[in-house]
Amino acid sequence: MPHLLRAAASISLLISMQSSLADTVYVSPSGSDGAAGTRGAPVRTISQALSRRANRIVLEAGLYRIEAPITIGPESSGLTIEADAGAHPVVTSAERLRLVWRRWQGGVYRASVPTHVRAIDSLWVAGRHEVLARYPNFDADAPYLNGASSSALSADRAARWSDPRGAIVHAMQQGLWGDEWFEITGKSPDGEPLLSPPWGNNRPSPPHPNYRYVEGLLEELDAPGEWYFDAARHFLYYYPHIGMDLATADVEASESAELFHIDGGAGGTVRGVTLSGLSFERTARSFRDTREPLLRSDWEIARRGVVVLENTDGCRIDRCRFVDVGSNGVFVSGRNHRAVVSGCLFQDVGASGICFVGRPTAVRSPLFHYSERLALDQVDPTPGPRGDAYPMECMAQDCLMLRTGRVELQSAGVEISMARRITVDHCTIRDVPRAGINIGDGCWGGDLIENCDVSDTVLESSDHGAFNSWGRDRYWGVDFAGKPMPPGMPEWDTIEPNVLRHNRFQCAHGWDIDLDDGSSNYVIEDNLCMQGGLKLREGYDRTVRNNLILFNGLHLHVWFTASHDIIERNLVSSPYAPIEMPAVWGTAVNRNFLCLPGQPVRTAGELQRVSHADADSLEGDPGFVNAAAGDYRLIRNAPALATGFVPFRLSGFGVTDPALQRLASGMVQGGATPPVDGARRRAEQAFLGGRVENLTGMGDVSATGMYAETGVLVLEAPDGSELRELGITARDVVLAWDETPTPDVGSLVQAARRQLHPAQITVWRSQKRTPIP
């Protein structure tokens, strides 16, 4: 693609420029800042090396403690900071504390901390990342939040706390769409904790009734490995592990989330800076700053990272390690051209691995919260961005991401928002709470996702995908006031197609590929989907062709009329799963193959019955080499080839670097996707002149935007029916009849028998709780 060629040319230019530079300064933790900076007489700090205006800084082996983020400006263009040959320098913001411990009470010890330490966000003792005192206690095997309890905010629990002000509540958003945080501001007269408004999620809710915990209270320091810092009295409290010798154990504390800030400033540009072979470890969390909404996505974000790039051109992060860090790994913020992150490891990262996120100043008619809407005459009709404050032609290549989102669940291995022509190539992403790769909006397309291996995703959330996107762009939700949509409006923002090609995706609690809420202008081809299937919600101009979708199929939800979508030459393991689809599905749905092992090949009657298309589609045994052994290649003259399906390599996904390959664990494979909270019967039946059924399964939850598998879905509410006269319409989810909750059809029928004309009905409509009347 042209932007890849331009990126390659930029890299070649950078290599040429660096080869002509000769000045080198060596740095060693045992050096002296008054030394010459040669290999034999290295300086001690990176800051001192920068002040020498060298073109190359070489870090020898050892630990480099950074008191404040290192800033690199335009005057350092062309600079390389790299590890010495065979060395593994570690850069950290963790300060070593020299403490004298004394037993305090029970198993807890206490030490005085130097007065210059004003706050401690994260603590390591004897190399172990310890846990800020919390209730319930940390449980690595818990399904959500490493341990959660419905009693975390009860008056009985709060009675233990003398002064809980400033403690933090971590909770799942009620729809399990990531997490959110609250600060405890005091107690009510009834003794219950009082909470601040939530932050950290752009679709906020009250804390989840079951999935929540509280941290930062001395009274909850009751388990080995927990700690608490009293900033007012400068006391650190710690409960050591059995057998630990506190007298000799190293204690490290961190308050800073950032280590390097490469920024050209508002009017300048940093060009050709490279960080190579460095290890970044033990930094603070950034969740307290996660407050900036990203357009109408579900995200709020902290524009922070271990390494932050802004106003740069041709900068590169190469073969670096980001391990046990509390924020985003690399944050490519605002104006950046041709930034490359390659060969890097991101492991146990607090938020996202890599973020490519532009500034809202580059967006035309930006809206920030999900419910915000504009009238057509309020929308800027000019296609594309209005400025250059966004990442352009940047790349994440050959990177391994394991266990990102350890603190911030609304995160991703790679996050793309307000950016253009971003390439994610040969990356392996595993064990993440939400999406492996997320495109948060349609600004401005041209992204290429290829050769990636993304699995074990959506592990601590729901209604999401291994790959997820939103397209809540200018056209989405506009009040057209009876006027037609202007031609081409869905592509005013996504001005170039996004391409997903030759990837392997797997998700057990959502979809392998989830194009949600208006995602438009996509080409999805030659992908191997291993469990959750492929979902296409409302959007325009999507081409889905030549994909192998195992153990599942295509989930087609609430398409627009004349969406111009094309679905062709796909191999699917399950029939289509449509929800509220129009009579005609897009431009073309044809030449697909429904895989029915051991069955004779025939016209795909099941697909035709649902789609009213698929004239040339087939069903039967596709002709896999050995599906029982996991070999899904097609034999010579396989029946599936008759649809025009073109076999593609079922290998070559993920990282290519041998060292990174050894670190990447095996992928979970196969099996059907479970519903949100377990299977329940649909129980469809007539009701007050219409038809209703239990809201059931992940598809219904996603299509309605509900927060859980509960309530009664209205299938039909015809004009003149009692149901319609009560103000209920099709697609509503009935949640309560008067004050009686209606989690299922049976409870709704019983409530209506008691009171046919209730004073109020509560429904879920347009993705929010709505009272009628």
Side-chain angles (χ1 to χ4, degrees):
M1 295 182 70
H3 57 287
L4 293 181
L5 295 177
R6 283 192 289 271
S10 175
I11 294 168
S12 297
L13 177 62
L14 174 60
I15 293 172
S16 175
M17 178 172 62
Q18 290 176 329
S19 66
S20 65
L21 302 175
D23 295 342
T24 299
V25 172
Y26 287 85
V27 190
S28 170
S30 60
S32 169
D33 279 350
T38 62
R39 180 180 290 279
V43 300
R44 185 177 63 84
T45 64
I46 301 172
S47 297
Q48 176 60 217
L50 280 170
S51 71
R52 304 288 180 94
R53 293 286 193 262
N55 297 311
R56 179 171 172 255
I57 295 174
V58 177
L59 303 188
E60 297 180 3
L63 184 64
Y64 297 83
R65 299 188 188 275
I66 305 299
E67 294 182 3
I70 294 172
T71 300
I72 298 176
E75 70 281 357
S76 296
S77 289
L79 170 67
T80 293
I81 302 177
E82 63 183 24
D84 199 3
H88 300 283
V90 175
V91 185
T92 180
S93 64
E95 176 185 357
R96 185 178 181 184
L97 303 179
R98 301 186 184 278
L99 306 175
V100 176
W101 294 100
R102 292 181 173 85
R103 186 181 292 274
W104 180 58
Q105 63 183 37
V108 177
Y109 287 72
R110 186 174 75 176
S112 293
V113 174
T115 56
H116 74 272
V117 179
R118 294 168 298 183
I120 297 176
D121 173 81
S122 299
L123 187 78
W124 292 262
V125 180
R128 298 178 63 154
H129 192 166
E130 302 293 36
V131 177
L132 180 58
R134 54 172 280 171
Y135 176 81
N137 291 333
F138 184 90
D139 179 0
D141 296 323
Y144 295 100
L145 300 172
N146 293 126
S149 173
S150 59
S151 64
L153 296 177
S154 68
D156 287 345
R157 196 75 205 176
R160 299 162 52 99
W161 311 332
S162 60
D163 183 3
R165 290 176 297 176
I168 301 296
V169 176
H170 297 247
M172 297 301 297
Q173 194 265 5
Q174 287 198 353
L176 300 182
W177 300 332
D179 58 347
E180 55 190 353
W181 307 288
F182 306 77
E183 182 175 340
I184 297 180
T185 58
K187 294 183 186 181
S188 73
D190 295 331
E192 295 184 345
L194 299 174
L195 303 181
S196 71
W199 79 92
N201 195 302
N202 207 23
R203 303 281 296 277
S205 73
H208 194 284
N210 299 316
Y211 303 134
R212 46 169 131 179
Y213 75 90
V214 60
E215 72 169 9
L217 292 160
L218 179 59
E219 293 88 349
E220 298 298 349
L221 204 169
D222 58 2
E226 288 192 339
W227 62 276
Y228 174 80
F229 179 55
D230 183 339
R233 297 173 178 83
H234 288 277
F235 282 133
L236 177 63
Y237 298 82
Y238 177 65
Y239 195 137
H241 298 275
I242 295 174
M244 177 180 285
D245 183 358
L246 273 183
T248 60
D250 283 342
V251 179
E252 299 173 284
S254 179
E255 186 182 353
S256 176
E258 295 183 8
L259 294 177
F260 279 87
H261 201 153
I262 305 172
D263 189 351
T269 302
V270 180
R271 303 182 188 276
V273 166
T274 297
L275 305 181
S276 180
L278 311 182
S279 290
F280 304 105
E281 301 179 14
R282 301 190 298 285
T283 64
R285 303 173 298 177
S286 58
F287 77 91
R288 293 174 185 270
D289 299 321
T290 302
R291 300 173 186 266
E292 178 186 342
L294 292 184
L295 299 184
R296 287 187 285 183
S297 86
D298 291 3
W299 282 48
E300 288 184 346
I301 203 163
R303 201 172 284 270
R304 302 182 68 186
V306 176
V307 176
V308 178
L309 280 71
E310 187 145 20
N311 303 311
T312 75
D313 189 352
C315 290
R316 188 178 185 94
I317 314 299
D318 183 53
R319 295 178 293 106
C320 291
R321 300 170 74 254
F322 298 78
V323 178
D324 195 10
V325 293
S327 66
N328 303 295
V330 176
F331 202 116
V332 183
S333 171
R335 176 170 59 88
N336 292 273
H337 289 181
R338 294 172 286 275
V340 176
V341 183
S342 67
C344 292
L345 169 67
F346 299 84
Q347 184 170 356
D348 292 309
V349 173
S352 296
I354 306 172
C355 296
F356 299 98
V357 179
R359 296 280 184 177
T361 54
V363 181
R364 298 182 187 276
S365 304
L367 296 175
F368 295 95
H369 298 286
Y370 181 86
S371 60
E372 288 185 288
R373 299 291 186 269
L374 291 175
L376 182 59
D377 61 4
Q378 297 174 299
V379 178
D380 183 340
T382 308
R386 67 175 181 180
D388 64 354
Y390 60 91
M392 172 76 163
E393 296 180 358
C394 298
M395 178 184 293
Q397 184 178 45
D398 204 22
C399 291
L400 173 60
M401 300 170 192
L402 301 174
R403 291 173 49 81
T404 61
R406 296 303 92 194
V407 179
E408 303 183 30
L409 303 190
Q410 191 70 283
S411 57
V414 179
E415 162 69 357
I416 301 170
S417 176
M418 296 175 284
R420 186 177 181 187
R421 296 181 183 171
I422 304 301
T423 296
V424 185
D425 178 37
H426 277 295
C427 290
T428 297
I429 303 172
R430 297 216 167 107
D431 196 356
V432 296
R434 289 292 270 166
I437 301 171
N438 186 72
I439 296 180
D441 49 62
C443 306
W444 286 271
D447 301 332
L448 174 63
I449 315 297
E450 65 176 349
N451 305 315
C452 291
D453 191 8
V454 185
S455 65
D456 296 324
T457 57
V458 196
L459 294 179
E460 288 187 74
S461 56
S462 183
D463 192 9
H464 214 48
F467 171 87
N468 182 82
S469 67
W470 292 294
R472 300 164 185 166
D473 306 325
R474 276 179 278 179
Y475 85 88
W476 190 79
V478 164
D479 179 4
F480 289 102
K483 298 178 182 178
M485 179 188 292
M489 188 178 184
E491 294 173 11
W492 288 358
D493 293 297
T494 315
I495 55 180
E496 298 178 275
N498 292 320
V499 177
L500 276 63
R501 182 172 61 213
H502 192 251
N503 302 284
R504 180 166 62 180
F505 294 114
Q506 181 266 337
C507 178
H509 302 98
W511 289 271
D512 296 338
I513 298 175
D514 184 356
L515 266 62
D516 206 359
D517 283 0
S519 298
S520 298
N521 203 6
Y522 274 79
V523 176
I524 302 174
E525 60 186 0
D526 294 355
N527 295 287
L528 174 59
C529 296
M530 294 297 296
Q531 187 164 13
L534 190 156
K535 188 188 94 179
L536 295 176
R537 193 181 161 92
E538 55 191 7
Y540 290 91
D541 302 303
R542 285 88 53 97
T543 296
V544 178
R545 64 183 172 218
N546 215 77
N547 299 284
L548 175 54
I549 303 174
L550 300 173
F551 308 107
N552 215 307
L554 293 165
H555 297 256
L556 313 173
H557 296 175
V558 293
W559 282 16
F560 296 123
T561 301
S563 67
H564 309 298
D565 291 328
I566 297 172
I567 308 263
E568 62 184 10
R569 293 192 282 115
N570 299 285
L571 272 60
V572 298
S573 298
S574 302
Y576 302 140
I579 296 178
E580 300 179 39
M581 291 288 286
V584 177
W585 293 4
T587 297
V589 178
N590 199 18
R591 303 185 70 81
N592 300 295
F593 195 102
L594 175 59
C595 301
L596 302 173
Q599 297 295 311
V601 177
R602 54 188 177 267
T603 299
E606 178 64 18
L607 300 184
Q608 292 177 349
R609 181 185 68 79
V610 176
S611 68
H612 307 293
D614 283 295
D616 303 305
S617 295
L618 301 173
E619 66 182 26
D621 194 315
F624 292 134
V625 170
N626 189 348
D631 189 344
Y632 296 101
R633 293 174 299 161
L634 292 172
I635 62 174
R636 184 181 180 87
N637 299 322
L641 300 176
T643 63
F645 180 84
V646 179
F648 57 89
R649 285 186 307 124
L650 301 184
S651 61
F653 307 108
V655 291
T656 62
D657 180 272
L660 295 179
Q661 285 181 332
R662 287 191 293 270
L663 289 172
S665 59
M667 185 183 73
V668 175
Q669 297 188 16
T673 298
V676 175
D677 289 324
R680 67 176 189 162
R681 294 188 306 109
R682 289 194 172 274
E684 180 181 340
Q685 71 174 65
F687 179 71
L688 300 183
R691 296 198 67 78
V692 298
E693 68 177 13
N694 290 334
L695 186 139
T696 304
M698 180 72 71
D700 280 357
V701 171
S702 178
T704 59
M706 266 289 286
Y707 53 84
E709 190 183 20
T710 187
V712 178
L713 178 63
V714 178
L715 302 175
E716 299 174 4
D719 289 341
S721 66
E722 290 183 85
L723 202 58
R724 188 60 175 271
E725 290 176 358
L726 288 169
I728 296 174
T729 63
R731 294 187 62 187
D732 283 347
V733 181
V734 183
L735 301 177
W737 196 267
D738 268 339
E739 296 182 358
T740 302
T742 55
D744 52 39
V745 168
S747 61
L748 175 62
V749 170
Q750 290 297 321
R753 285 175 180 169
R754 290 192 297 270
Q755 176 58 265
L756 184 60
H757 298 289
Q760 181 172 291
I761 301 169
T762 303
V763 302
W764 185 262
R765 177 183 293 171
S766 299
Q767 302 206 22
K768 63 182 179 181
R769 189 180 291 267
T770 303
I772 302 172

